Amino acid sequence: MSLTWLSCLNLLSPARAATPTDAAAPPRGALYQVSDGRHTLLLFGTIHVGAPDFYPLEPKLQQALAAAPTLALELDPQNSAAMQGAVQRYAVYPAGQQLLDQLDPALRERTRTTLQRFGMTPDNVQQLRPWMLAMALTVQEYVRHGYRTDLAVDSHLAAAVRAHGGKVMELESADRQMGLFSKLTPAQQAQFLADTLQELDDADLTRKLDRLVAAWRRADSADFGAALQEMQQDDSFASRFAVQTLLHERNPGLATGIAGLLRQQDKAVAAIGILHLVGPDSVPVLLQKQGLQVRQLY
């Protein structure tokens, strides 16, 4: 299930804070308490899309955000200049090269058909590398299902911390995230796009998307584990890349950044994609291996 990788990689779109409603605020995602014996930090699992009924978040997390001196995110939603620069360096072809020219005839035709279905034309995407087009189409698929990138959880958290003068720090960089895809050969990029197009044609896709977001809404750790297991069992190139590179390869750096923040400050909050918190190689497990006390609150 390659589209699940949107739970662990930031989306490329404008974002704004959500307006809380008067609805009840049940637990969402997953929340961990991490301590080194002197300082305590809350670690929250996000999903990089949103909907109005995601908010408000449950009271314990809201209170922590209202007092947090620092919020650590994979990327700062307001750092759009860095993201735009990284996209130019890694995600688009240089002048004189175009996307469709890089694809074999069968994939070129599948790409044209999918673009038409999404109301897009080849001219809109000719400068994008195949993996970037796959990402853009995945974002559009979530939007078609009613989810909004402008209400992404990361943006809501950042607005809450900045509202009282707290700081937002990045655990990674746009260059780091976009650079992961530069390791792909042209053939692998084409395969990543082909796998994504195949999944977009899957009649069962709606259930998969809704199940993942529903699991986040319910703070259902068992369902997150099932989603990761499904990715691991999927032998497509896109799923293998998501598991090995977008998750496992990034987890040690995320854990190191969170541990460093914990040693420097008390009552900070860190928030990363929910699938980084799942499995034997997850960030909570890596934090425990550094000698920190980690307890799952929900």
Side-chain angles (χ1 to χ4, degrees):
M1 190 164 79
S2 60
L3 293 190
T4 310
W5 58 262
L6 278 179
S7 304
C8 53
L9 189 71
N10 282 75
L11 298 174
L12 311 178
S13 68
R16 63 181 177 83
T19 301
T21 67
D22 293 328
R28 309 286 196 188
L31 187 67
Y32 290 77
Q33 180 179 286
V34 186
S35 175
D36 66 355
R38 294 186 310 123
H39 298 158
T40 298
L41 171 148
L42 288 185
L43 173 60
F44 182 59
T46 69
I47 187 167
H48 301 309
V49 293
D53 68 346
F54 279 20
Y55 309 106
L57 298 171
E58 60 86 21
K60 184 178 185 64
L61 180 58
Q62 287 192 77
Q63 292 164 10
L65 292 167
T70 301
L71 169 68
L73 298 173
E74 295 165 42
L75 300 178
D76 181 352
Q78 289 194 4
N79 196 1
S80 57
M83 179 58 75
Q84 291 168 4
V87 168
Q88 289 299 313
R89 283 187 288 277
Y90 298 109
V92 302
Y93 283 114
Q97 295 185 36
Q98 293 189 330
L99 170 70
L100 294 183
D101 295 338
Q102 315 302 316
L103 308 179
D104 64 49
L107 181 55
R108 186 182 308 132
E109 186 57 33
R110 288 178 62 196
T111 301
R112 289 183 185 275
T113 300
T114 302
L115 289 173
Q116 185 175 22
R117 193 170 87 234
F118 279 82
M120 304 165 69
T121 68
D123 289 344
N124 299 143
V125 301
Q126 280 283 40
Q127 291 306 115
L128 300 183
R129 293 185 182 272
W131 66 264
M132 185 63 187
L133 176 59
M135 178 180 284
L137 291 172
T138 301
V139 170
Q140 288 304 308
E141 186 65 17
Y142 271 85
V143 170
R144 277 158 53 103
H145 283 77
Y147 304 117
R148 294 169 53 180
T149 55
D150 66 317
L151 293 181
V153 178
D154 311 71
S155 302
H156 180 84
L157 302 177
V161 169
R162 284 190 164 111
H164 66 80
K167 297 180 180 179
V168 175
M169 65 168 280
E170 295 186 322
L171 293 168
E172 297 185 305
S173 67
D175 260 41
R176 160 71 171 153
Q177 287 198 358
M178 296 294 99
L180 293 172
F181 292 89
S182 69
K183 301 176 182 180
L184 299 177
T185 66
Q188 289 172 330
Q189 291 190 42
Q191 188 61 55
F192 190 92
L193 174 59
D195 290 346
T196 301
L197 296 182
Q198 181 175 341
E199 188 158 33
L200 291 171
D201 287 336
D202 185 351
D204 202 31
L205 182 59
T206 297
R207 180 194 63 80
K208 292 179 180 179
L209 296 181
D210 289 342
R211 175 188 176 187
L212 180 65
V213 178
W216 187 87
R217 280 189 170 107
R218 300 190 309 268
D220 190 336
S221 293
D223 241 8
F224 296 134
L228 179 59
Q229 186 175 35
E230 188 173 350
M231 287 177 70
Q232 292 169 331
Q233 293 173 346
D234 183 347
D235 196 40
S236 71
F237 175 79
S239 286
R240 285 186 279 114
F241 178 77
V243 171
Q244 295 300 322
T245 302
L246 301 184
L247 282 174
H248 292 171
E249 187 174 317
R250 294 169 61 213
N251 282 347
L254 292 171
T256 296
I258 291 167
L261 175 60
L262 174 64
R263 295 186 185 100
Q264 295 171 13
Q265 290 186 348
D266 191 30
K267 298 182 179 179
V269 175
I272 58 180
I274 188 69
L275 291 185
H276 291 291
L277 307 184
V278 179
D281 300 311
S282 67
V283 169
V285 171
L286 294 176
L287 291 171
Q288 286 180 317
K289 289 181 177 180
Q290 293 191 36
L292 301 176
Q293 303 164 28
V294 180
R295 179 165 65 97
Q296 186 168 4
L297 304 180
Y298 58 77

